[in-house]
Amino acid sequence: MKKFLVTCSTLLAMSASLPAFAEDPAGDWTGLIEGAIRLNIYVTKTQSGQHEVTVISPDQGNFTIKADKVEAGENFMRFSIAKLNCNYEAKWDETQKAWLGTWTQGQQAKLKLTRLDAKALAAQVKKRPQEEAIAKSPHNYSSTDVSFQNAKANISLAGTLMLPQGKGPFPAVVLVHGSGPNDRDETIFDHKIFLVLADHLSKQGIAVLRYDKRGIAASKGDYKSATTFDFADDAQAAVDYLRTRSEINQDKLGMIGHSEGGLIAPMVAANDPKLKFIVLMAGPGVRIDALMLEQGRLLGLANGESQTEVEKAQKVSREAYAIMNSGADDKTISERLKAHLDQAEKNGDLVKGAGAGQLSTLARPWFRAFIKYDPAPTLAKVTQATLVLNGELDLQVPAKMNLDGIRASMKANKNVVIKELPKLNHLFQTATTGSPAEYGKIEETLSPVALDAMSGWILQQ
């Protein structure tokens, strides 16, 4: 912290106008958004005295981005990142030795930044015992980087194929990720979910193909413009690739989809009768607009929001989804959404400045298609053997709501097994509350109960 070097006479003259302390933002800082997502904020100062900000999210694969606009000085800082439609504004609190501020990205959240020293950095290294065991133990399978083509989109996708030891051909699965820019391991809060799942399945004699989403890591294509339907085409391309491999038993080839992947797996199955089975991990079973409203309600309450705050957010989202499902053209929808969000800010139903971030999210091609989707008709067309799993504590795809929806839609299919797994959350970790705030804190990546449920059922097919 900077010190004021002044004489007694100047101290008397200046004491009324200067603070008793003056902290410059330059330095390394760290904090949690909503108690869940860790951000490390690195503030540097150029020779000309301008501040620059780099943000790193350790819980999101060390995702790194620089701020576009920075204003900082003694005891205050603010910066914005246009690509993420977010901004942060904070003041220095000498008592707490911390920056106390607000992170705005569609919604507002308090973000307290404290000094990131060696001790704090070491504490961010999280234990992931299942992944550590994979790295240390010998494997009874081979692991090979592969690439395959989605001819429809004219892109190349990259992944990893695990083949059990021994004489094939082997039963096999394609792993399909949930929403977001996921890599082949479906890395979420520093958990490599698909790595742990693939390792378990391969050890049981099941071949596994997992891949990076289009436009992510080593896969080609444009992630930003892609919709769930595009990702379904990619998943079909992965299945088609396995059909070219002599090591794969084509009569025992299936797919496991997690979250949004649980929408995609039925899409592929309904159009590909040669696919033998699918597994839905927290797959939606109701209209997505209804699911998002319930998800928002549960997550709001889990984050400590009052009933009044939750109801305000529900009101804003309900009207926004109605506009998006109105059947109007994109231009009209965008205009109506902006007017709606502006009015919500004026009414106090939405915090000031949050509308722009929400509008940006709602304008994404992926969200426009996603919010309109009803999985019921597709689920009704699935004739393959299907295992449906949901965690009891899932707040993102609530178990009862979605399992009931899937059960009703697939009633004509006599080879469907539906299970609600006690004490598991959306990531299929053993949890206490199910809140996303727990995801990164829980050391377990995937519950052995869920792993055994999947491998046991697949081997019976």
Side-chain angles (χ1 to χ4, degrees), residues 2 23-27 42-46 48-54 67-74 76-79:
K2 291 184 177 179
E23 182 71 25
D24 189 276
Y42 298 88
V43 185
T44 57
K45 209 170 185 179
T46 66
S48 62
Q50 296 297 311
H51 290 83
E52 295 182 343
V53 172
T54 300
D68 307 290
K69 185 177 180 182
V70 181
E71 298 176 69
E74 292 178 346
F76 84 93
M77 69 167 151
R78 65 178 68 93
F79 61 83

Side-chain angles (χ1 to χ4, degrees), residues 356-399:
Q358 286 205 15
L359 185 61
S360 177
T361 297
L362 299 176
R364 287 178 55 202
W366 175 82
F367 199 90
R368 290 280 173 99
F370 185 67
I371 202 66
K372 298 175 184 178
Y373 191 69
D374 182 358
T378 300
L379 288 166
K381 295 177 183 176
V382 174
T383 59
Q384 290 92 335
T386 303
L387 174 64
V388 183
L389 302 177
N390 255 85
E392 174 195 13
L393 300 180
D394 192 337
L395 302 185
Q396 293 184 247
V397 182

Side-chain angles (χ1 to χ4, degrees), residues 40-46 50-57 62-70 79-86 103:
N40 292 341
I41 312 293
Y42 298 88
V43 185
T44 57
K45 209 170 185 179
T46 66
Q50 296 297 311
H51 290 83
E52 295 182 343
V53 172
T54 300
V55 180
I56 297 179
S57 178
N62 281 323
F63 174 78
T64 304
I65 194 167
K66 290 193 71 172
D68 307 290
K69 185 177 180 182
V70 181
F79 61 83
S80 59
I81 304 173
K83 189 175 181 180
L84 301 181
N85 296 294
C86 69
W103 181 275

Side-chain angles (χ1 to χ4, degrees), residues 161 163 168-174 207 236-255 272-277 384 461:
L161 177 61
L163 293 171
F170 306 103
V173 293
V174 170
Q236 180 68 69
V239 170
D240 292 342
Y241 170 72
L242 286 186
R243 289 186 172 132
T244 70
R245 302 284 305 218
S246 61
E247 306 96 326
I248 304 304
N249 185 336
Q250 302 303 323
D251 291 327
K252 295 185 178 182
L253 173 57
M255 179 177 290
D272 186 351
K274 293 181 181 179
L275 195 70
K276 295 305 177 181
F277 63 86
Q384 290 92 335
Q461 303 312 305

